[in-house]
Amino acid sequence: MVCSPCPQRPWGGRGTPHRDPRAVTPASIPRCAMVEVTVTPQSSLADRPVQVHVRGLSPSQLVTLRAWLADEQGDVFQSRAFFHADEAGEVDPGRHPALGGSYTGVWPMGLLWFLQPDTLFRRLVKRDVVGSPFLLHLEVFDGLCLVTGPQDRPLASCEAKRWYVGPGVQRVPIGEGRVRGALFLPPGPGPFPGVIDLFGGAGGLIEFRAGLLATRGFAVLALAFFAYKDLPHTLAQLDMEYFEEAAELLLRQPKVRGPGLGVIGVSKGAEVALAMAAFLPQVVATVWINGTAFLHGNSLLYRDLHIPSIPYFIERVVFTEMGAMDNSAIFGDPQDPMYSSSAIPTEKIRGKVLFVVGEADRSFNSKLFAQLAMARMSPASCRLLSYPGAGHLIEPPGSPLCSVSSIRGTPKPVVWGGEAQAHAKAQEHSWQEIIQFLELQLGPTSTVKL
C-alpha cells in the first residue's frame, strides 16, 4: 500500500498558516515510507476478535486511528484513538495504550467496541444478516486528528468485513400458521439443538443474534410477535398459544434435535422467554437478558389462564438533558403485595434459566426482577450473571454500547444506560457464558468457520 504524499502543512487545506488542534511539529512528520494498516482476519464473524496493526511509522510518531462503517440506512458510526508508535514504528491497540479519543488504555477491540453514531440516537443493528457484511474502514492519520474532513488524507487505510452468518448458514422465512419469523440453519445434515430468539418492545424482526447463534451450531428461529407483516401492530397481550405454536413448529423441523429447546430474550423478549419457560414443557433452557419477572403493560393469556399486568406509570417518566426518556421509574414496585397476581410463576419452570443483568440498566431494575424470579425457583435451576456498569442492551461482543436510541412506538428516544468499557466487558463475557449454557442444556453443536 503506497502512502499518501508527504504533507506540506500540518493542518491540510489552503490559506494562511494558523494554529490547529491537529498541528504537528516538523520532526513528527513522517518520511514517505511504506505505511500500512491491517485488520486480521480481513473477513470475520461479528462476534469474533480481530487484530489491528499499523506498520511503517516513525518511532514515537503521534497518529490517529479511525474506524468507521455505514449501516444499511446510510448512518455512519465511527471511533478514533490517538497513539504514539513504538520504537519499531508500529501501533498495535492490543499492546499499546490509546492516549485519548473514543477510549483510553489497552483495548484490542476498542476501535470496534466504541463506535458511536454521527447522528444522535441511532442504534447499530444489522438487518440483512445473510446478504452482506458490515464493511469496516480503518484509517491512520498523521498527528492528532480530532475531526476528519474531505481534505484529510490518511497515511494508509484498509477494509474489513464483519459477517453475522458463517458460510453455509441458511435463512428460511417462516410464515406457517400464525408464526412469523426467520429460521437459521447451520450447514450439514444435523440434527441441531433448537433455540427461539426474541427481542423487545420495538417489535418487528431482528435477526443478527440468531445468525451468530446459527453459526455456532444452533438451529435458531428469530421470532416476531408484533409489528411485523400481518401480526398485530401493537402488543395488546401475550398470547402464550402463539409462542407454543412457534415452539412446536421449530421442533418439527427435520434438522432440529428435540425433545427440548432453548429460548433467549432481551427486555420484553426476556419477559416472554420466562413465561415460555414457566408454561411450555418444550422449553428446557432459557436465557433471560435484562427483563422482568412480572407482566407489565400486557396481560398474559394461555388457554383458560389469565395473568393481569402491572400498569405503566407513564407520568413518572423523566426527560434527560438530551431530551431522551428515562423510563426507570415508570414501573410499579413488584414487591408490593397488590401486584403479586402479576408475577410470572417461575416456580413452575422445569428447565434451567440463565439470568443476565446489567446493573446500570436504565430501562428498569433488572437485577431486582432477576432476584425476585430466582427466589421462587430451585437454586439448582437458575444462575445469575450480574455486571456492574453494563446497560440494558447486552448484545454479542463487537456490538458497540447503545446507551440511548430512538425506537418505534415512543415519542422520544429512550435511555438504556451503561458505561462503555464495563458494557464491552460484560458483552464479551456473557456471550461465551450464554453459548456454554445452551450447549450444556441442549447438547453439543458444530461451529461454522469463517
Side-chain angles (χ1 to χ4, degrees):
M1 180 178 295
V2 179
C3 71
S4 301
C6 290
Q8 299 302 310
R9 50 174 67 94
W11 52 85
R14 300 176 181 177
T16 304
H18 61 279
R19 293 297 298 171
D20 186 276
R22 292 170 289 150
V24 293
T25 62
S28 69
I29 297 175
R31 302 180 183 91
C32 272
M34 180 71 74
V35 179
E36 179 185 41
V37 58
T38 58
V39 179
T40 307
Q42 189 272 335
S43 183
S44 62
L45 291 164
D47 64 342
R48 307 296 171 85
V50 294
Q51 182 182 27
V52 177
H53 203 147
V54 183
R55 300 175 179 85
L57 301 169
S58 300
S60 300
Q61 183 178 343
L62 177 64
V63 294
T64 298
L65 267 65
R66 176 190 181 223
W68 67 273
L69 60 80
D71 69 8
E72 289 142 323
Q73 284 71 47
D75 289 313
V76 173
F77 295 73
Q78 65 173 305
S79 64
R80 66 186 63 223
F82 314 126
F83 296 88
H84 278 302
D86 63 16
E87 293 181 355
E90 298 184 358
V91 170
D92 177 355
R95 295 186 295 114
H96 303 140
L99 308 175
S102 301
Y103 70 96
T104 60
V106 179
W107 290 82
M109 291 281 289
L111 290 166
L112 282 75
W113 283 350
F114 299 103
L115 289 166
Q116 289 296 309
D118 283 358
T119 303
L120 286 177
F121 311 135
R122 295 291 196 268
R123 178 184 174 193
L124 184 62
V125 176
K126 191 72 174 75
R127 299 291 179 179
D128 179 11
V129 300
V130 174
S132 64
F134 273 142
L135 192 60
L136 180 71
H137 303 261
L138 270 295
E139 299 168 335
V140 55
F141 296 89
D142 181 49
L144 193 65
C145 195
L146 299 178
V147 294
T148 309
Q151 76 280 2
D152 296 300
R153 287 181 296 174
L155 299 175
S157 63
C158 68
E159 296 177 346
K161 296 177 180 178
R162 300 286 282 171
W163 291 91
Y164 285 81
V165 297
V169 172
Q170 183 183 10
R171 179 189 183 275
V172 181
I174 296 296
E176 182 177 329
R178 293 187 299 162
V179 179
R180 301 293 179 266
L183 177 63
F184 289 81
L185 294 171
F192 308 104
V195 175
I196 292 176
D197 188 14
L198 300 160
F199 277 81
L205 183 62
I206 300 178
E207 306 175 23
F208 67 87
R209 188 170 59 199
L212 291 172
L213 285 170
T215 305
R216 296 278 187 160
F218 299 94
V220 187
L221 173 59
L223 181 63
F225 52 101
F226 74 101
Y228 180 74
K229 293 192 173 180
D230 58 349
L231 294 175
H233 184 67
T234 58
L235 186 60
Q237 61 187 19
L238 292 184
D239 179 1
M240 292 308 297
E241 292 189 43
Y242 174 80
F243 300 100
E244 183 176 49
E245 185 179 342
E248 292 172 348
L249 182 152
L250 180 59
L251 287 170
R252 286 198 305 270
Q253 300 299 315
K255 290 188 175 184
V256 174
R257 181 174 69 227
L261 53 79
V263 180
I264 180 171
V266 62
S267 195
K268 192 68 174 182
E271 182 181 308
V272 175
L274 200 63
M276 292 177 68
F279 292 111
L280 305 184
Q282 302 95 326
V283 178
V284 300
T286 303
V287 179
W288 177 103
I289 304 172
N290 285 330
T292 76
F294 290 69
L295 276 299
H296 283 86
N298 319 102
S299 61
L300 181 148
L301 298 178
Y302 184 50
R303 298 175 183 171
D304 297 329
L305 175 69
H306 173 262
I307 299 180
S309 64
I310 303 174
Y312 296 121
F313 297 93
I314 304 298
E315 67 274 15
R316 300 177 186 172
V317 69
V318 174
F319 296 126
T320 70
E321 61 184 11
M322 297 179 68
M325 297 167 54
D326 184 334
N327 292 325
S328 56
I330 72 172
F331 295 86
D333 181 4
Q335 298 174 97
D336 189 324
M338 70 180 294
Y339 297 136
S340 60
S341 62
S342 297
I344 295 171
T346 54
E347 66 275 7
K348 295 184 177 181
I349 294 175
R350 286 161 289 211
K352 308 290 186 183
V353 182
L354 179 64
F355 292 89
V356 180
V357 165
E359 295 184 14
D361 183 353
R362 294 301 299 165
S363 188
F364 39 74
N365 190 343
S366 53
K367 187 171 185 178
L368 174 62
F369 283 120
Q371 291 169 335
L372 292 174
M374 295 174 69
R376 304 172 66 147
M377 301 172 64
S378 162
S381 66
C382 54
R383 181 183 172 209
L384 174 64
L385 298 175
S386 189
Y387 298 98
H392 186 67
L393 297 175
I394 295 178
E395 297 178 338
S399 304
L401 167 68
C402 179
S403 59
V404 55
S405 72
S406 300
I407 66 168
R408 177 172 38 208
T410 61
K412 289 180 177 289
V414 174
V415 175
W416 306 117
E419 304 160 11
Q421 296 188 1
H423 194 87
K425 289 181 178 179
Q427 291 190 153
E428 187 174 45
H429 182 265
S430 64
W431 185 240
Q432 299 308 317
E433 293 291 325
I434 289 168
I435 299 299
Q436 292 173 14
F437 169 78
L438 292 174
E439 288 180 339
L440 179 64
Q441 304 305 323
L442 302 177
T445 64
S446 57
T447 301
V448 181
K449 297 186 182 301
L450 183 62

mmCIF file of all heavy atoms in Angstrom, residues 178 235 237-244 299-303:
data_model
loop_
_atom_site.group_PDB
_atom_site.id
_atom_site.type_symbol
_atom_site.label_atom_id
_atom_site.label_comp_id
_atom_site.label_asym_id
_atom_site.label_seq_id
_atom_site.Cartn_x
_atom_site.Cartn_y
_atom_site.Cartn_z
ATOM 1 N N ARG A 178 -49.861 -19.075 12.344
ATOM 2 C CA ARG A 178 -49.768 -17.687 12.801
ATOM 3 C C ARG A 178 -48.324 -17.230 12.977
ATOM 4 O O ARG A 178 -48.071 -16.047 13.171
ATOM 5 C CB ARG A 178 -50.488 -17.531 14.143
ATOM 6 C CG ARG A 178 -51.979 -17.716 14.091
ATOM 7 C CD ARG A 178 -52.607 -17.360 15.431
ATOM 8 N NE ARG A 178 -52.108 -18.205 16.515
ATOM 9 C CZ ARG A 178 -52.218 -17.899 17.817
ATOM 10 N NH1 ARG A 178 -52.788 -16.756 18.182
ATOM 11 N NH2 ARG A 178 -51.758 -18.734 18.743
ATOM 12 N N LEU A 235 -48.587 -4.416 20.822
ATOM 13 C CA LEU A 235 -48.663 -5.599 21.681
ATOM 14 C C LEU A 235 -49.750 -5.369 22.726
ATOM 15 O O LEU A 235 -49.538 -4.677 23.726
ATOM 16 C CB LEU A 235 -47.314 -5.843 22.348
ATOM 17 C CG LEU A 235 -47.181 -7.130 23.165
ATOM 18 C CD1 LEU A 235 -47.412 -8.355 22.276
ATOM 19 C CD2 LEU A 235 -45.814 -7.211 23.819
ATOM 20 N N GLN A 237 -51.573 -8.025 24.259
ATOM 21 C CA GLN A 237 -51.488 -9.065 25.276
ATOM 22 C C GLN A 237 -50.507 -10.130 24.811
ATOM 23 O O GLN A 237 -50.171 -10.218 23.627
ATOM 24 C CB GLN A 237 -52.855 -9.693 25.536
ATOM 25 C CG GLN A 237 -53.454 -10.375 24.300
ATOM 26 C CD GLN A 237 -54.873 -10.850 24.505
ATOM 27 O OE1 GLN A 237 -55.557 -10.392 25.409
ATOM 28 N NE2 GLN A 237 -55.312 -11.784 23.680
ATOM 29 N N LEU A 238 -50.033 -10.924 25.761
ATOM 30 C CA LEU A 238 -49.157 -12.044 25.437
ATOM 31 C C LEU A 238 -50.007 -13.302 25.324
ATOM 32 O O LEU A 238 -50.503 -13.827 26.335
ATOM 33 C CB LEU A 238 -48.081 -12.225 26.517
ATOM 34 C CG LEU A 238 -47.024 -11.135 26.648
ATOM 35 C CD1 LEU A 238 -45.993 -11.518 27.702
ATOM 36 C CD2 LEU A 238 -46.340 -10.877 25.313
ATOM 37 N N ASP A 239 -50.184 -13.761 24.111
ATOM 38 C CA ASP A 239 -50.939 -14.986 23.846
ATOM 39 C C ASP A 239 -49.941 -16.135 23.825
ATOM 40 O O ASP A 239 -49.236 -16.347 22.837
ATOM 41 C CB ASP A 239 -51.674 -14.861 22.512
ATOM 42 C CG ASP A 239 -52.464 -16.112 22.156
ATOM 43 O OD1 ASP A 239 -52.463 -17.072 22.959
ATOM 44 O OD2 ASP A 239 -53.066 -16.129 21.067
ATOM 45 N N MET A 240 -49.874 -16.899 24.903
ATOM 46 C CA MET A 240 -48.865 -17.953 25.001
ATOM 47 C C MET A 240 -49.087 -19.067 23.988
ATOM 48 O O MET A 240 -48.164 -19.804 23.664
ATOM 49 C CB MET A 240 -48.842 -18.535 26.413
ATOM 50 C CG MET A 240 -48.328 -17.576 27.484
ATOM 51 S SD MET A 240 -46.720 -16.842 27.069
ATOM 52 C CE MET A 240 -45.698 -18.300 27.012
ATOM 53 N N GLU A 241 -50.299 -19.181 23.469
ATOM 54 C CA GLU A 241 -50.529 -20.205 22.447
ATOM 55 C C GLU A 241 -49.778 -19.874 21.159
ATOM 56 O O GLU A 241 -49.414 -20.781 20.409
ATOM 57 C CB GLU A 241 -52.030 -20.359 22.193
ATOM 58 C CG GLU A 241 -52.762 -20.958 23.376
ATOM 59 C CD GLU A 241 -54.198 -21.319 23.064
ATOM 60 O OE1 GLU A 241 -54.459 -21.876 21.975
ATOM 61 O OE2 GLU A 241 -55.064 -21.029 23.906
ATOM 62 N N TYR A 242 -49.543 -18.586 20.897
ATOM 63 C CA TYR A 242 -48.717 -18.214 19.742
ATOM 64 C C TYR A 242 -47.298 -18.730 19.927
ATOM 65 O O TYR A 242 -46.701 -19.312 19.003
ATOM 66 C CB TYR A 242 -48.708 -16.693 19.572
ATOM 67 C CG TYR A 242 -47.771 -16.206 18.488
ATOM 68 C CD1 TYR A 242 -48.138 -16.242 17.148
ATOM 69 C CD2 TYR A 242 -46.497 -15.724 18.800
ATOM 70 C CE1 TYR A 242 -47.280 -15.808 16.145
ATOM 71 C CE2 TYR A 242 -45.624 -15.281 17.813
ATOM 72 C CZ TYR A 242 -46.014 -15.327 16.492
ATOM 73 O OH TYR A 242 -45.154 -14.902 15.505
ATOM 74 N N PHE A 243 -46.729 -18.558 21.106
ATOM 75 C CA PHE A 243 -45.352 -18.994 21.366
ATOM 76 C C PHE A 243 -45.271 -20.522 21.452
ATOM 77 O O PHE A 243 -44.264 -21.119 21.067
ATOM 78 C CB PHE A 243 -44.843 -18.323 22.634
ATOM 79 C CG PHE A 243 -44.846 -16.817 22.539
ATOM 80 C CD1 PHE A 243 -45.866 -16.078 23.101
ATOM 81 C CD2 PHE A 243 -43.857 -16.154 21.836
ATOM 82 C CE1 PHE A 243 -45.900 -14.693 22.987
ATOM 83 C CE2 PHE A 243 -43.880 -14.767 21.712
ATOM 84 C CZ PHE A 243 -44.902 -14.039 22.290
ATOM 85 N N GLU A 244 -46.346 -21.152 21.916
ATOM 86 C CA GLU A 244 -46.403 -22.606 21.913
ATOM 87 C C GLU A 244 -46.407 -23.127 20.473
ATOM 88 O O GLU A 244 -45.720 -24.116 20.149
ATOM 89 C CB GLU A 244 -47.651 -23.072 22.645
ATOM 90 C CG GLU A 244 -47.776 -24.585 22.778
ATOM 91 C CD GLU A 244 -48.987 -24.957 23.613
ATOM 92 O OE1 GLU A 244 -50.091 -24.428 23.344
ATOM 93 O OE2 GLU A 244 -48.837 -25.779 24.537
ATOM 94 N N SER A 299 -51.334 -8.117 29.638
ATOM 95 C CA SER A 299 -51.701 -9.325 30.374
ATOM 96 C C SER A 299 -51.305 -10.562 29.575
ATOM 97 O O SER A 299 -51.008 -10.488 28.381
ATOM 98 C CB SER A 299 -53.207 -9.338 30.646
ATOM 99 O OG SER A 299 -53.923 -9.329 29.415
ATOM 100 N N LEU A 300 -51.312 -11.710 30.247
ATOM 101 C CA LEU A 300 -50.941 -12.973 29.617
ATOM 102 C C LEU A 300 -52.156 -13.881 29.564
ATOM 103 O O LEU A 300 -52.882 -14.027 30.552
ATOM 104 C CB LEU A 300 -49.804 -13.636 30.399
ATOM 105 C CG LEU A 300 -49.269 -14.970 29.871
ATOM 106 C CD1 LEU A 300 -47.769 -15.111 30.165
ATOM 107 C CD2 LEU A 300 -50.006 -16.172 30.484
ATOM 108 N N LEU A 301 -52.345 -14.490 28.396
ATOM 109 C CA LEU A 301 -53.403 -15.472 28.209
ATOM 110 C C LEU A 301 -52.791 -16.792 27.780
ATOM 111 O O LEU A 301 -51.941 -16.829 26.893
ATOM 112 C CB LEU A 301 -54.399 -14.999 27.149
ATOM 113 C CG LEU A 301 -55.187 -13.705 27.425
ATOM 114 C CD1 LEU A 301 -56.077 -13.367 26.240
ATOM 115 C CD2 LEU A 301 -56.006 -13.831 28.701
ATOM 116 N N TYR A 302 -53.246 -17.873 28.422
ATOM 117 C CA TYR A 302 -52.819 -19.211 27.989
ATOM 118 C C TYR A 302 -53.959 -20.178 28.296
ATOM 119 O O TYR A 302 -54.205 -20.519 29.462
ATOM 120 C CB TYR A 302 -51.548 -19.634 28.704
ATOM 121 C CG TYR A 302 -51.007 -20.973 28.230
ATOM 122 C CD1 TYR A 302 -50.830 -21.236 26.869
ATOM 123 C CD2 TYR A 302 -50.692 -21.980 29.134
ATOM 124 C CE1 TYR A 302 -50.352 -22.456 26.431
ATOM 125 C CE2 TYR A 302 -50.189 -23.189 28.715
ATOM 126 C CZ TYR A 302 -50.027 -23.430 27.359
ATOM 127 O OH TYR A 302 -49.543 -24.651 26.921
ATOM 128 N N ARG A 303 -54.660 -20.565 27.241
ATOM 129 C CA ARG A 303 -55.834 -21.412 27.383
ATOM 130 C C ARG A 303 -56.822 -20.749 28.345
ATOM 131 O O ARG A 303 -57.313 -19.667 28.081
ATOM 132 C CB ARG A 303 -55.404 -22.811 27.807
ATOM 133 C CG ARG A 303 -54.501 -23.477 26.746
ATOM 134 C CD ARG A 303 -53.960 -24.813 27.172
ATOM 135 N NE ARG A 303 -53.062 -25.348 26.138
ATOM 136 C CZ ARG A 303 -52.303 -26.420 26.296
ATOM 137 N NH1 ARG A 303 -52.325 -27.089 27.436
ATOM 138 N NH2 ARG A 303 -51.528 -26.828 25.302
#
